[in-house]
Amino acid sequence: MLYQHLAIVVGATGTFGTEIVRQLTEQGLHVLAVGRSADALTTLASQFAQVSICQADISNDSAIDAIGAAIDRPVKMVVHGPGVTVAGGILTAPTSAMVDAVNIKVGGILRLTRAADDHFTQSARIVAIGGHYGLEPTEYAASAGVANSALVNVMRQLSIAYGRRGISAHTIAPGPADSERLRRVVTARAEQRGVAVEEVLDELLDESSIHQFTTADQVAWAVCNLLDDRAIGMTGSTIMLDAGRRKGLP
């Protein structure tokens, strides 16, 4: 079965995406890496033998045809993991940024599934990388919170719609990761409050019961575990990888 099936990864050149690509190829899948930057995609593909690339903007319906045209074998998994703009807190975030975030997260997963629909294997997996703040709201992560909350609902709907075909849908909700993106958020918050960056980082770590950030390796591990046939029993669910940040039930 080596490389006979395809995994499509949107947001493949990001912190999580690159590690997801690496681990999926180790699982014996060929990966179609999707992103907006041709240079970044070319660099990614040069690192892995079993990776092809597709330059597409998942926020636009043109991505449906672009991704569809690049599919050359049965699709075992699609992974939707693009980032959204850091828009600030709920009192100041531009409304346009909120709308754009929902378009990227919700519109994006719909465009991805529609591009791959005719190519899904019977036991295919639809996976969306959401985020902790979609289930644990905070005043300072407005766009991510709203978009990831909507994404959870859409993924549950997809699990129902695709279930009759033996296809499952899953949301993975990581907590903050120690990444370049997080550093930008932390720097902005530190400047706004007039405190040191290290103080804000320590506060974020204190939100975790194990005083850790989520890692790209952990997210990719969760994605790959969903390839197991037994994972179909988790369809529609949200897998929390928040390092013990969530306080609410369930």
Side-chain angles (χ1 to χ4, degrees), residues 15-129:
T15 300
F16 289 162
T18 299
E19 183 62 19
I20 290 169
V21 168
R22 184 183 71 79
Q23 293 195 28
L24 285 175
T25 59
E26 290 176 352
Q27 293 293 316
L29 291 169
H30 187 92
V31 173
L32 176 62
V34 181
R36 290 183 298 178
S37 169
D39 290 343
L41 287 169
T42 300
T43 299
L44 177 70
S46 69
Q47 301 174 44
F48 305 98
Q50 298 299 331
V51 172
S52 53
I53 61 176
C54 174
Q55 186 180 10
D57 182 354
I58 202 65
S59 70
N60 190 286
D61 283 352
S62 62
I64 299 173
D65 289 337
I67 295 171
I71 297 173
D72 61 356
R73 65 198 77 193
V75 176
K76 175 65 176 176
M77 174 179 277
V78 296
V79 182
H80 182 60
V84 298
T85 301
V86 178
I90 192 62
L91 298 181
T92 58
T95 55
S96 59
M98 306 285 278
V99 173
D100 288 346
V102 174
N103 178 38
I104 291 169
K105 289 284 188 172
V106 173
I109 188 63
L110 295 179
R111 295 178 185 107
L112 176 58
T113 55
R114 291 170 189 180
D117 187 89
D118 290 341
H119 305 274
F120 278 135
T121 65
Q122 185 176 6
S123 59
R125 302 284 184 256
I126 300 169
V127 182
I129 309 300

Side-chain angles (χ1 to χ4, degrees), residues 16-250:
F16 289 162
T18 299
E19 183 62 19
I20 290 169
V21 168
R22 184 183 71 79
Q23 293 195 28
L24 285 175
T25 59
E26 290 176 352
Q27 293 293 316
L29 291 169
H30 187 92
V31 173
L32 176 62
V34 181
R36 290 183 298 178
S37 169
D39 290 343
L41 287 169
T42 300
T43 299
L44 177 70
S46 69
Q47 301 174 44
F48 305 98
Q50 298 299 331
V51 172
S52 53
I53 61 176
C54 174
Q55 186 180 10
D57 182 354
I58 202 65
S59 70
N60 190 286
D61 283 352
S62 62
I64 299 173
D65 289 337
I67 295 171
I71 297 173
D72 61 356
R73 65 198 77 193
V75 176
K76 175 65 176 176
M77 174 179 277
V78 296
V79 182
H80 182 60
V84 298
T85 301
V86 178
I90 192 62
L91 298 181
T92 58
T95 55
S96 59
M98 306 285 278
V99 173
D100 288 346
V102 174
N103 178 38
I104 291 169
K105 289 284 188 172
V106 173
I109 188 63
L110 295 179
R111 295 178 185 107
L112 176 58
T113 55
R114 291 170 189 180
D117 187 89
D118 290 341
H119 305 274
F120 278 135
T121 65
Q122 185 176 6
S123 59
R125 302 284 184 256
I126 300 169
V127 182
I129 309 300
H132 161 66
Y133 294 125
L135 295 160
E136 192 82 7
T138 175
E139 64 175 315
Y140 57 79
S143 60
V146 169
N148 286 324
S149 179
L151 182 64
V152 168
N153 186 287
V154 167
M155 292 302 289
R156 182 66 60 88
Q157 293 187 51
L158 288 175
S159 75
I160 298 168
Y162 275 104
R164 63 183 64 93
R165 290 169 55 182
I167 297 169
S168 61
H170 311 263
T171 306
I172 296 175
D178 192 359
S179 63
E180 182 181 342
R181 183 176 185 275
L182 179 69
R183 294 281 172 168
R184 293 198 303 269
V185 174
V186 167
T187 298
R189 288 179 59 187
E191 291 175 352
Q192 183 182 42
R193 292 169 48 192
V195 299
V197 169
E198 290 72 19
E199 181 177 337
V200 178
L201 280 172
D202 284 342
E203 290 172 357
L204 287 174
L205 283 169
D206 282 340
E207 293 175 359
S208 162
S209 62
I210 55 175
H211 202 71
Q212 292 181 14
F213 290 118
T214 302
T215 67
D217 176 63
Q218 291 165 353
V219 175
W221 166 82
V223 170
C224 290
N225 273 325
L226 292 173
L227 291 168
D228 192 299
D229 288 342
R230 293 166 291 186
I232 197 169
M234 299 169 63
T235 190
S237 64
T238 299
I239 301 170
M240 299 301 298
L241 286 177
D242 60 349
R245 284 176 165 79
R246 181 163 164 74
K247 305 302 188 297
L249 298 175

